[in-house]
Amino acid sequence: MVIIMKPGTREQDIHALVEKLERQEKVQVGITHGVGCSILGLVGDTVHLDIHKLEMEPNVERVMRVQEPYKKANRKFHPEDSVITAAGVPVGGGNFTVVAGPCSVESEEQIIEVARDVKQSGAAMLRGGAFKPRTSPYSFQGMGLDGLDLLLEARQDTGLPIVTEIMSPKYCEIFEEKVDLVQVGARNMQNFDLLKEVGKMSKPILLKRGLSNTYEEWIMSAEYIMAAGNENVILCERGIRTFETQTRNTLDVSAIPAIKRMSHLPVVVDPSHSGGYYWLVEPLAMAAIAAGADGLIVEVHNDPAHAKCDGQQSLTPEKFRHLMDKSAALVELMGKKLVNS
Ligand code: PEP
Ligand code: MN
């Protein structure tokens, strides 16, 4: 971190600030006297320092970070790709992992049928929402704990590990016991109380990008989970809000290589919520693979026209099979290994 002092600051005031920083903040400070102003270079653990507070010091002109505000998620301190494992299924580090299933669990028949289909086509994990974050309070809110139990049945039937969204810290204990990969949805990406609580879990976390969040904000949310003790975080790009209204969201393809430069955590892509239409899923998935994604999370429904949630963007099992067949060659071309269930 660099602090630029106001021109004409007295020598004794500079030394008073240096002494305060070294004593209170436990950082080492080097002083460079320039023409007209002096610059302080801070080294040590500066992530906890508040730039705005420092800028309120009477003799400080400007403060700049030279290092990112995240540590545990930072590739600088962990150059190798992280491989996160959910119930034995790896994500990241040369693996390509596909998660598939309906937006919501709707019935025993539905989830079992879809689970069997996606497994047969090569999905490595089963998704399905039991607690649904809906814009309208009048829309289907998910089956709740009953939905969770149906996911367990589907896991028992197929052997596929299950991925489902947590919306409240009050369910951490039950998710800890039952769920293999715990999803934090886009709308909760900055629910810091929830992030701190899932940070205490031993299960891996799939952290979706918020609707309008920057890369740094997203990584800082991963940092919350990691700082609380859970370093098993997978990032999921699921499209962001832009001025375009013809698609539900806009897949930020740049996020894949950009996040990989910033962080060692795996990045998977959700082409279903990104585009919002079933016919966009395959092209967006192919773009994601070509950009270096570590996997996909895809909505698949056995009867999309009658789905209780997100039918318009759900693939039929046949279309999902086509996607898996088509993507296999590209996954190989990208030097990755498709993870089988
Ligand atoms: C979902 O995965 O069904 C979901 C609600 O996703 P998102 O949080 O990305 O909107
Ligand atoms: Mn959905």
Side-chain angles (χ1 to χ4, degrees), residues 21-56:
L21 288 169
E22 290 190 328
R23 183 169 35 84
Q24 286 184 2
E25 311 294 353
K26 311 268 184 293
V27 290
Q28 293 90 52
V29 186
I31 310 174
T32 307
H33 295 290
V35 187
C37 75
S38 298
I39 295 171
L40 310 184
L42 278 59
V43 290
D45 192 3
T46 58
V47 286
H48 61 282
L49 291 183
D50 183 341
I51 286 191
H52 302 296
K53 228 165 147 184
L54 287 171
E55 279 179 336
M56 284 171 70

PDB file of all heavy atoms in Angstrom, residues 21-56:
ATOM      1  N   LEU A  21       1.354   3.897  12.393  1.00  0.00           N
ATOM      2  CA  LEU A  21       1.062   2.749  11.518  1.00  0.00           C
ATOM      3  C   LEU A  21       1.850   1.516  11.958  1.00  0.00           C
ATOM      4  O   LEU A  21       1.320   0.399  11.998  1.00  0.00           O
ATOM      5  CB  LEU A  21       1.404   3.088  10.062  1.00  0.00           C
ATOM      6  CG  LEU A  21       0.465   4.084   9.367  1.00  0.00           C
ATOM      7  CD1 LEU A  21       1.051   4.544   8.045  1.00  0.00           C
ATOM      8  CD2 LEU A  21      -0.899   3.441   9.131  1.00  0.00           C
ATOM      9  N   GLU A  22       3.127   1.723  12.285  1.00  0.00           N
ATOM     10  CA  GLU A  22       3.967   0.572  12.653  1.00  0.00           C
ATOM     11  C   GLU A  22       3.502  -0.037  13.976  1.00  0.00           C
ATOM     12  O   GLU A  22       3.513  -1.250  14.152  1.00  0.00           O
ATOM     13  CB  GLU A  22       5.437   0.997  12.722  1.00  0.00           C
ATOM     14  CG  GLU A  22       5.964   1.301  11.329  1.00  0.00           C
ATOM     15  CD  GLU A  22       7.469   1.512  11.252  1.00  0.00           C
ATOM     16  OE1 GLU A  22       8.060   2.015  12.234  1.00  0.00           O
ATOM     17  OE2 GLU A  22       8.040   1.192  10.201  1.00  0.00           O
ATOM     18  N   ARG A  23       3.031   0.839  14.864  1.00  0.00           N
ATOM     19  CA  ARG A  23       2.618   0.362  16.191  1.00  0.00           C
ATOM     20  C   ARG A  23       1.217  -0.257  16.132  1.00  0.00           C
ATOM     21  O   ARG A  23       1.014  -1.391  16.575  1.00  0.00           O
ATOM     22  CB  ARG A  23       2.652   1.537  17.176  1.00  0.00           C
ATOM     23  CG  ARG A  23       2.317   1.175  18.618  1.00  0.00           C
ATOM     24  CD  ARG A  23       2.629   2.322  19.582  1.00  0.00           C
ATOM     25  NE  ARG A  23       2.396   3.647  19.003  1.00  0.00           N
ATOM     26  CZ  ARG A  23       1.207   4.254  18.962  1.00  0.00           C
ATOM     27  NH1 ARG A  23       0.144   3.685  19.472  1.00  0.00           N
ATOM     28  NH2 ARG A  23       1.074   5.453  18.422  1.00  0.00           N
ATOM     29  N   GLN A  24       0.283   0.467  15.538  1.00  0.00           N
ATOM     30  CA  GLN A  24      -1.121  -0.004  15.576  1.00  0.00           C
ATOM     31  C   GLN A  24      -1.422  -1.056  14.523  1.00  0.00           C
ATOM     32  O   GLN A  24      -2.210  -1.952  14.737  1.00  0.00           O
ATOM     33  CB  GLN A  24      -2.070   1.176  15.358  1.00  0.00           C
ATOM     34  CG  GLN A  24      -2.157   2.080  16.558  1.00  0.00           C
ATOM     35  CD  GLN A  24      -3.183   3.199  16.342  1.00  0.00           C
ATOM     36  OE1 GLN A  24      -3.835   3.270  15.321  1.00  0.00           O
ATOM     37  NE2 GLN A  24      -3.310   4.070  17.325  1.00  0.00           N
ATOM     38  N   GLU A  25      -0.839  -0.932  13.359  1.00  0.00           N
ATOM     39  CA  GLU A  25      -1.218  -1.803  12.240  1.00  0.00           C
ATOM     40  C   GLU A  25      -0.195  -2.900  11.966  1.00  0.00           C
ATOM     41  O   GLU A  25      -0.403  -3.733  11.076  1.00  0.00           O
ATOM     42  CB  GLU A  25      -1.447  -0.974  10.972  1.00  0.00           C
ATOM     43  CG  GLU A  25      -2.341   0.240  11.142  1.00  0.00           C
ATOM     44  CD  GLU A  25      -3.798  -0.117  11.474  1.00  0.00           C
ATOM     45  OE1 GLU A  25      -4.130  -1.304  11.448  1.00  0.00           O
ATOM     46  OE2 GLU A  25      -4.567   0.810  11.783  1.00  0.00           O
ATOM     47  N   LYS A  26       0.912  -2.863  12.679  1.00  0.00           N
ATOM     48  CA  LYS A  26       1.953  -3.915  12.545  1.00  0.00           C
ATOM     49  C   LYS A  26       2.469  -4.044  11.100  1.00  0.00           C
ATOM     50  O   LYS A  26       2.602  -5.153  10.582  1.00  0.00           O
ATOM     51  CB  LYS A  26       1.409  -5.276  13.008  1.00  0.00           C
ATOM     52  CG  LYS A  26       0.705  -5.246  14.362  1.00  0.00           C
ATOM     53  CD  LYS A  26       1.658  -5.545  15.494  1.00  0.00           C
ATOM     54  CE  LYS A  26       1.006  -5.617  16.842  1.00  0.00           C
ATOM     55  NZ  LYS A  26       0.460  -4.348  17.375  1.00  0.00           N
ATOM     56  N   VAL A  27       2.669  -2.916  10.444  1.00  0.00           N
ATOM     57  CA  VAL A  27       3.253  -2.947   9.097  1.00  0.00           C
ATOM     58  C   VAL A  27       4.591  -2.205   9.129  1.00  0.00           C
ATOM     59  O   VAL A  27       4.840  -1.416  10.035  1.00  0.00           O
ATOM     60  CB  VAL A  27       2.317  -2.283   8.050  1.00  0.00           C
ATOM     61  CG1 VAL A  27       1.084  -3.125   7.817  1.00  0.00           C
ATOM     62  CG2 VAL A  27       1.934  -0.864   8.461  1.00  0.00           C
ATOM     63  N   GLN A  28       5.438  -2.506   8.147  1.00  0.00           N
ATOM     64  CA  GLN A  28       6.690  -1.761   8.062  1.00  0.00           C
ATOM     65  C   GLN A  28       6.493  -0.639   7.041  1.00  0.00           C
ATOM     66  O   GLN A  28       5.863  -0.850   6.005  1.00  0.00           O
ATOM     67  CB  GLN A  28       7.849  -2.644   7.591  1.00  0.00           C
ATOM     68  CG  GLN A  28       8.240  -3.744   8.584  1.00  0.00           C
ATOM     69  CD  GLN A  28       7.448  -5.009   8.319  1.00  0.00           C
ATOM     70  OE1 GLN A  28       7.414  -5.490   7.199  1.00  0.00           O
ATOM     71  NE2 GLN A  28       6.779  -5.521   9.341  1.00  0.00           N
ATOM     72  N   VAL A  29       7.047   0.534   7.384  1.00  0.00           N
ATOM     73  CA  VAL A  29       6.826   1.699   6.514  1.00  0.00           C
ATOM     74  C   VAL A  29       8.156   2.274   6.063  1.00  0.00           C
ATOM     75  O   VAL A  29       9.044   2.540   6.876  1.00  0.00           O
ATOM     76  CB  VAL A  29       6.017   2.789   7.259  1.00  0.00           C
ATOM     77  CG1 VAL A  29       5.668   3.933   6.306  1.00  0.00           C
ATOM     78  CG2 VAL A  29       4.746   2.203   7.876  1.00  0.00           C
ATOM     79  N   GLY A  30       8.294   2.440   4.734  1.00  0.00           N
ATOM     80  CA  GLY A  30       9.482   3.103   4.180  1.00  0.00           C
ATOM     81  C   GLY A  30       9.080   4.491   3.701  1.00  0.00           C
ATOM     82  O   GLY A  30       7.975   4.677   3.178  1.00  0.00           O
ATOM     83  N   ILE A  31       9.962   5.481   3.916  1.00  0.00           N
ATOM     84  CA  ILE A  31       9.624   6.858   3.520  1.00  0.00           C
ATOM     85  C   ILE A  31      10.479   7.272   2.325  1.00  0.00           C
ATOM     86  O   ILE A  31      11.695   7.076   2.321  1.00  0.00           O
ATOM     87  CB  ILE A  31       9.897   7.859   4.674  1.00  0.00           C
ATOM     88  CG1 ILE A  31       9.261   7.354   5.976  1.00  0.00           C
ATOM     89  CG2 ILE A  31       9.380   9.249   4.333  1.00  0.00           C
ATOM     90  CD1 ILE A  31       9.605   8.202   7.205  1.00  0.00           C
ATOM     91  N   THR A  32       9.828   7.808   1.294  1.00  0.00           N
ATOM     92  CA  THR A  32      10.561   8.359   0.153  1.00  0.00           C
ATOM     93  C   THR A  32      10.228   9.846   0.075  1.00  0.00           C
ATOM     94  O   THR A  32       9.045  10.215  -0.016  1.00  0.00           O
ATOM     95  CB  THR A  32      10.122   7.671  -1.162  1.00  0.00           C
ATOM     96  OG1 THR A  32      10.251   6.258  -0.992  1.00  0.00           O
ATOM     97  CG2 THR A  32      10.968   8.126  -2.335  1.00  0.00           C
ATOM     98  N   HIS A  33      11.243  10.687   0.164  1.00  0.00           N
ATOM     99  CA  HIS A  33      11.006  12.130   0.068  1.00  0.00           C
ATOM    100  C   HIS A  33      11.129  12.552  -1.381  1.00  0.00           C
ATOM    101  O   HIS A  33      12.185  12.396  -1.995  1.00  0.00           O
ATOM    102  CB  HIS A  33      12.010  12.904   0.940  1.00  0.00           C
ATOM    103  CG  HIS A  33      11.829  12.611   2.399  1.00  0.00           C
ATOM    104  ND1 HIS A  33      10.733  13.052   3.111  1.00  0.00           N
ATOM    105  CD2 HIS A  33      12.584  11.904   3.276  1.00  0.00           C
ATOM    106  CE1 HIS A  33      10.832  12.634   4.358  1.00  0.00           C
ATOM    107  NE2 HIS A  33      11.941  11.922   4.488  1.00  0.00           N
ATOM    108  N   GLY A  34      10.051  13.059  -1.954  1.00  0.00           N
ATOM    109  CA  GLY A  34      10.089  13.535  -3.341  1.00  0.00           C
ATOM    110  C   GLY A  34      10.132  15.049  -3.359  1.00  0.00           C
ATOM    111  O   GLY A  34      10.251  15.681  -2.311  1.00  0.00           O
ATOM    112  N   VAL A  35      10.011  15.591  -4.578  1.00  0.00           N
ATOM    113  CA  VAL A  35       9.979  17.048  -4.676  1.00  0.00           C
ATOM    114  C   VAL A  35       8.581  17.503  -4.272  1.00  0.00           C
ATOM    115  O   VAL A  35       7.598  17.167  -4.910  1.00  0.00           O
ATOM    116  CB  VAL A  35      10.282  17.500  -6.135  1.00  0.00           C
ATOM    117  CG1 VAL A  35      10.428  19.027  -6.213  1.00  0.00           C
ATOM    118  CG2 VAL A  35      11.515  16.814  -6.662  1.00  0.00           C
ATOM    119  N   GLY A  36       8.490  18.196  -3.191  1.00  0.00           N
ATOM    120  CA  GLY A  36       7.182  18.743  -2.769  1.00  0.00           C
ATOM    121  C   GLY A  36       6.380  17.805  -1.891  1.00  0.00           C
ATOM    122  O   GLY A  36       5.633  18.251  -1.042  1.00  0.00           O
ATOM    123  N   CYS A  37       6.477  16.492  -2.098  1.00  0.00           N
ATOM    124  CA  CYS A  37       5.687  15.609  -1.229  1.00  0.00           C
ATOM    125  C   CYS A  37       6.444  14.325  -0.906  1.00  0.00           C
ATOM    126  O   CYS A  37       7.389  13.949  -1.601  1.00  0.00           O
ATOM    127  CB  CYS A  37       4.329  15.299  -1.845  1.00  0.00           C
ATOM    128  SG  CYS A  37       4.415  14.124  -3.182  1.00  0.00           S
ATOM    129  N   SER A  38       6.007  13.674   0.155  1.00  0.00           N
ATOM    130  CA  SER A  38       6.647  12.425   0.561  1.00  0.00           C
ATOM    131  C   SER A  38       5.676  11.265   0.350  1.00  0.00           C
ATOM    132  O   SER A  38       4.453  11.454   0.394  1.00  0.00           O
ATOM    133  CB  SER A  38       7.037  12.493   2.038  1.00  0.00           C
ATOM    134  OG  SER A  38       7.957  13.537   2.216  1.00  0.00           O
ATOM    135  N   ILE A  39       6.262  10.095   0.113  1.00  0.00           N
ATOM    136  CA  ILE A  39       5.444   8.900  -0.141  1.00  0.00           C
ATOM    137  C   ILE A  39       5.823   7.825   0.878  1.00  0.00           C
ATOM    138  O   ILE A  39       7.013   7.563   1.108  1.00  0.00           O
ATOM    139  CB  ILE A  39       5.692   8.385  -1.577  1.00  0.00           C
ATOM    140  CG1 ILE A  39       5.192   9.437  -2.587  1.00  0.00           C
ATOM    141  CG2 ILE A  39       4.988   7.061  -1.822  1.00  0.00           C
ATOM    142  CD1 ILE A  39       5.561   9.145  -4.016  1.00  0.00           C
ATOM    143  N   LEU A  40       4.811   7.211   1.464  1.00  0.00           N
ATOM    144  CA  LEU A  40       5.059   6.114   2.411  1.00  0.00           C
ATOM    145  C   LEU A  40       4.728   4.794   1.719  1.00  0.00           C
ATOM    146  O   LEU A  40       3.661   4.650   1.120  1.00  0.00           O
ATOM    147  CB  LEU A  40       4.176   6.256   3.649  1.00  0.00           C
ATOM    148  CG  LEU A  40       4.149   7.612   4.369  1.00  0.00           C
ATOM    149  CD1 LEU A  40       3.298   7.518   5.635  1.00  0.00           C
ATOM    150  CD2 LEU A  40       5.565   8.064   4.716  1.00  0.00           C
ATOM    151  N   GLY A  41       5.617   3.843   1.814  1.00  0.00           N
ATOM    152  CA  GLY A  41       5.365   2.509   1.262  1.00  0.00           C
ATOM    153  C   GLY A  41       5.150   1.541   2.415  1.00  0.00           C
ATOM    154  O   GLY A  41       6.023   1.368   3.264  1.00  0.00           O
ATOM    155  N   LEU A  42       3.974   0.940   2.457  1.00  0.00           N
ATOM    156  CA  LEU A  42       3.656   0.027   3.564  1.00  0.00           C
ATOM    157  C   LEU A  42       3.833  -1.411   3.104  1.00  0.00           C
ATOM    158  O   LEU A  42       3.280  -1.808   2.070  1.00  0.00           O
ATOM    159  CB  LEU A  42       2.197   0.208   4.005  1.00  0.00           C
ATOM    160  CG  LEU A  42       1.861   1.366   4.955  1.00  0.00           C
ATOM    161  CD1 LEU A  42       2.249   2.703   4.361  1.00  0.00           C
ATOM    162  CD2 LEU A  42       0.374   1.337   5.305  1.00  0.00           C
ATOM    163  N   VAL A  43       4.577  -2.192   3.859  1.00  0.00           N
ATOM    164  CA  VAL A  43       4.674  -3.622   3.555  1.00  0.00           C
ATOM    165  C   VAL A  43       4.281  -4.432   4.782  1.00  0.00           C
ATOM    166  O   VAL A  43       4.357  -3.956   5.906  1.00  0.00           O
ATOM    167  CB  VAL A  43       6.084  -4.036   3.050  1.00  0.00           C
ATOM    168  CG1 VAL A  43       6.359  -3.481   1.664  1.00  0.00           C
ATOM    169  CG2 VAL A  43       7.170  -3.636   4.020  1.00  0.00           C
ATOM    170  N   GLY A  44       3.845  -5.678   4.529  1.00  0.00           N
ATOM    171  CA  GLY A  44       3.336  -6.516   5.616  1.00  0.00           C
ATOM    172  C   GLY A  44       1.894  -6.849   5.304  1.00  0.00           C
ATOM    173  O   GLY A  44       1.462  -6.764   4.152  1.00  0.00           O
ATOM    174  N   ASP A  45       1.163  -7.204   6.326  1.00  0.00           N
ATOM    175  CA  ASP A  45      -0.221  -7.616   6.112  1.00  0.00           C
ATOM    176  C   ASP A  45      -1.130  -6.390   6.052  1.00  0.00           C
ATOM    177  O   ASP A  45      -1.580  -5.877   7.075  1.00  0.00           O
ATOM    178  CB  ASP A  45      -0.638  -8.559   7.252  1.00  0.00           C
ATOM    179  CG  ASP A  45      -1.953  -9.246   6.935  1.00  0.00           C
ATOM    180  OD1 ASP A  45      -2.479  -9.023   5.823  1.00  0.00           O
ATOM    181  OD2 ASP A  45      -2.435 -10.003   7.799  1.00  0.00           O
ATOM    182  N   THR A  46      -1.380  -5.915   4.833  1.00  0.00           N
ATOM    183  CA  THR A  46      -2.160  -4.676   4.691  1.00  0.00           C
ATOM    184  C   THR A  46      -3.627  -4.919   4.322  1.00  0.00           C
ATOM    185  O   THR A  46      -4.376  -3.972   4.154  1.00  0.00           O
ATOM    186  CB  THR A  46      -1.523  -3.758   3.610  1.00  0.00           C
ATOM    187  OG1 THR A  46      -1.478  -4.481   2.382  1.00  0.00           O
ATOM    188  CG2 THR A  46      -0.132  -3.305   4.001  1.00  0.00           C
ATOM    189  N   VAL A  47      -4.022  -6.193   4.191  1.00  0.00           N
ATOM    190  CA  VAL A  47      -5.408  -6.445   3.738  1.00  0.00           C
ATOM    191  C   VAL A  47      -6.462  -5.890   4.692  1.00  0.00           C
ATOM    192  O   VAL A  47      -7.549  -5.520   4.276  1.00  0.00           O
ATOM    193  CB  VAL A  47      -5.734  -7.944   3.478  1.00  0.00           C
ATOM    194  CG1 VAL A  47      -5.097  -8.456   2.221  1.00  0.00           C
ATOM    195  CG2 VAL A  47      -5.435  -8.810   4.663  1.00  0.00           C
ATOM    196  N   HIS A  48      -6.108  -5.820   5.981  1.00  0.00           N
ATOM    197  CA  HIS A  48      -7.111  -5.353   6.951  1.00  0.00           C
ATOM    198  C   HIS A  48      -7.155  -3.824   7.049  1.00  0.00           C
ATOM    199  O   HIS A  48      -7.989  -3.272   7.759  1.00  0.00           O
ATOM    200  CB  HIS A  48      -6.815  -5.963   8.327  1.00  0.00           C
ATOM    201  CG  HIS A  48      -5.475  -5.575   8.863  1.00  0.00           C
ATOM    202  ND1 HIS A  48      -4.311  -6.159   8.415  1.00  0.00           N
ATOM    203  CD2 HIS A  48      -5.112  -4.633   9.762  1.00  0.00           C
ATOM    204  CE1 HIS A  48      -3.289  -5.606   9.047  1.00  0.00           C
ATOM    205  NE2 HIS A  48      -3.755  -4.679   9.855  1.00  0.00           N
ATOM    206  N   LEU A  49      -6.257  -3.119   6.372  1.00  0.00           N
ATOM    207  CA  LEU A  49      -6.242  -1.655   6.472  1.00  0.00           C
ATOM    208  C   LEU A  49      -7.384  -1.037   5.672  1.00  0.00           C
ATOM    209  O   LEU A  49      -7.681  -1.459   4.561  1.00  0.00           O
ATOM    210  CB  LEU A  49      -4.904  -1.107   5.966  1.00  0.00           C
ATOM    211  CG  LEU A  49      -3.676  -1.424   6.833  1.00  0.00           C
ATOM    212  CD1 LEU A  49      -2.442  -0.762   6.256  1.00  0.00           C
ATOM    213  CD2 LEU A  49      -3.897  -0.945   8.262  1.00  0.00           C
ATOM    214  N   ASP A  50      -7.996  -0.010   6.255  1.00  0.00           N
ATOM    215  CA  ASP A  50      -9.134   0.662   5.617  1.00  0.00           C
ATOM    216  C   ASP A  50      -8.625   1.927   4.917  1.00  0.00           C
ATOM    217  O   ASP A  50      -8.221   2.899   5.564  1.00  0.00           O
ATOM    218  CB  ASP A  50     -10.154   1.010   6.722  1.00  0.00           C
ATOM    219  CG  ASP A  50     -11.418   1.649   6.160  1.00  0.00           C
ATOM    220  OD1 ASP A  50     -11.382   2.143   5.015  1.00  0.00           O
ATOM    221  OD2 ASP A  50     -12.427   1.655   6.895  1.00  0.00           O
ATOM    222  N   ILE A  51      -8.665   1.889   3.592  1.00  0.00           N
ATOM    223  CA  ILE A  51      -8.161   3.012   2.791  1.00  0.00           C
ATOM    224  C   ILE A  51      -8.865   4.320   3.169  1.00  0.00           C
ATOM    225  O   ILE A  51      -8.248   5.364   3.332  1.00  0.00           O
ATOM    226  CB  ILE A  51      -8.378   2.728   1.277  1.00  0.00           C
ATOM    227  CG1 ILE A  51      -7.374   1.694   0.797  1.00  0.00           C
ATOM    228  CG2 ILE A  51      -8.272   4.005   0.454  1.00  0.00           C
ATOM    229  CD1 ILE A  51      -7.319   1.518  -0.697  1.00  0.00           C
ATOM    230  N   HIS A  52     -10.183   4.234   3.338  1.00  0.00           N
ATOM    231  CA  HIS A  52     -10.955   5.464   3.585  1.00  0.00           C
ATOM    232  C   HIS A  52     -10.592   6.092   4.928  1.00  0.00           C
ATOM    233  O   HIS A  52     -10.554   7.307   5.067  1.00  0.00           O
ATOM    234  CB  HIS A  52     -12.446   5.168   3.500  1.00  0.00           C
ATOM    235  CG  HIS A  52     -12.813   4.587   2.166  1.00  0.00           C
ATOM    236  ND1 HIS A  52     -12.673   5.300   1.006  1.00  0.00           N
ATOM    237  CD2 HIS A  52     -13.260   3.368   1.801  1.00  0.00           C
ATOM    238  CE1 HIS A  52     -13.034   4.549  -0.022  1.00  0.00           C
ATOM    239  NE2 HIS A  52     -13.387   3.361   0.444  1.00  0.00           N
ATOM    240  N   LYS A  53     -10.304   5.244   5.896  1.00  0.00           N
ATOM    241  CA  LYS A  53      -9.917   5.754   7.208  1.00  0.00           C
ATOM    242  C   LYS A  53      -8.560   6.454   7.108  1.00  0.00           C
ATOM    243  O   LYS A  53      -8.349   7.523   7.665  1.00  0.00           O
ATOM    244  CB  LYS A  53      -9.830   4.582   8.192  1.00  0.00           C
ATOM    245  CG  LYS A  53     -10.543   4.853   9.494  1.00  0.00           C
ATOM    246  CD  LYS A  53     -10.728   3.580  10.248  1.00  0.00           C
ATOM    247  CE  LYS A  53     -10.652   3.820  11.735  1.00  0.00           C
ATOM    248  NZ  LYS A  53     -10.727   2.579  12.467  1.00  0.00           N
ATOM    249  N   LEU A  54      -7.638   5.818   6.375  1.00  0.00           N
ATOM    250  CA  LEU A  54      -6.306   6.415   6.215  1.00  0.00           C
ATOM    251  C   LEU A  54      -6.399   7.750   5.473  1.00  0.00           C
ATOM    252  O   LEU A  54      -5.677   8.697   5.774  1.00  0.00           O
ATOM    253  CB  LEU A  54      -5.386   5.461   5.443  1.00  0.00           C
ATOM    254  CG  LEU A  54      -4.905   4.237   6.217  1.00  0.00           C
ATOM    255  CD1 LEU A  54      -4.187   3.270   5.290  1.00  0.00           C
ATOM    256  CD2 LEU A  54      -3.973   4.652   7.356  1.00  0.00           C
ATOM    257  N   GLU A  55      -7.339   7.823   4.526  1.00  0.00           N
ATOM    258  CA  GLU A  55      -7.472   9.066   3.752  1.00  0.00           C
ATOM    259  C   GLU A  55      -8.045  10.205   4.600  1.00  0.00           C
ATOM    260  O   GLU A  55      -8.002  11.359   4.191  1.00  0.00           O
ATOM    261  CB  GLU A  55      -8.341   8.820   2.506  1.00  0.00           C
ATOM    262  CG  GLU A  55      -7.515   8.185   1.404  1.00  0.00           C
ATOM    263  CD  GLU A  55      -8.297   7.871   0.133  1.00  0.00           C
ATOM    264  OE1 GLU A  55      -9.528   7.712   0.198  1.00  0.00           O
ATOM    265  OE2 GLU A  55      -7.657   7.745  -0.915  1.00  0.00           O
ATOM    266  N   MET A  56      -8.578   9.843   5.768  1.00  0.00           N
ATOM    267  CA  MET A  56      -9.096  10.894   6.655  1.00  0.00           C
ATOM    268  C   MET A  56      -8.002  11.490   7.537  1.00  0.00           C
ATOM    269  O   MET A  56      -8.230  12.476   8.227  1.00  0.00           O
ATOM    270  CB  MET A  56     -10.218  10.324   7.520  1.00  0.00           C
ATOM    271  CG  MET A  56     -11.510  10.154   6.723  1.00  0.00           C
ATOM    272  SD  MET A  56     -12.742   9.264   7.650  1.00  0.00           S
ATOM    273  CE  MET A  56     -13.163  10.477   8.883  1.00  0.00           C
TER     274      MET A  56
END
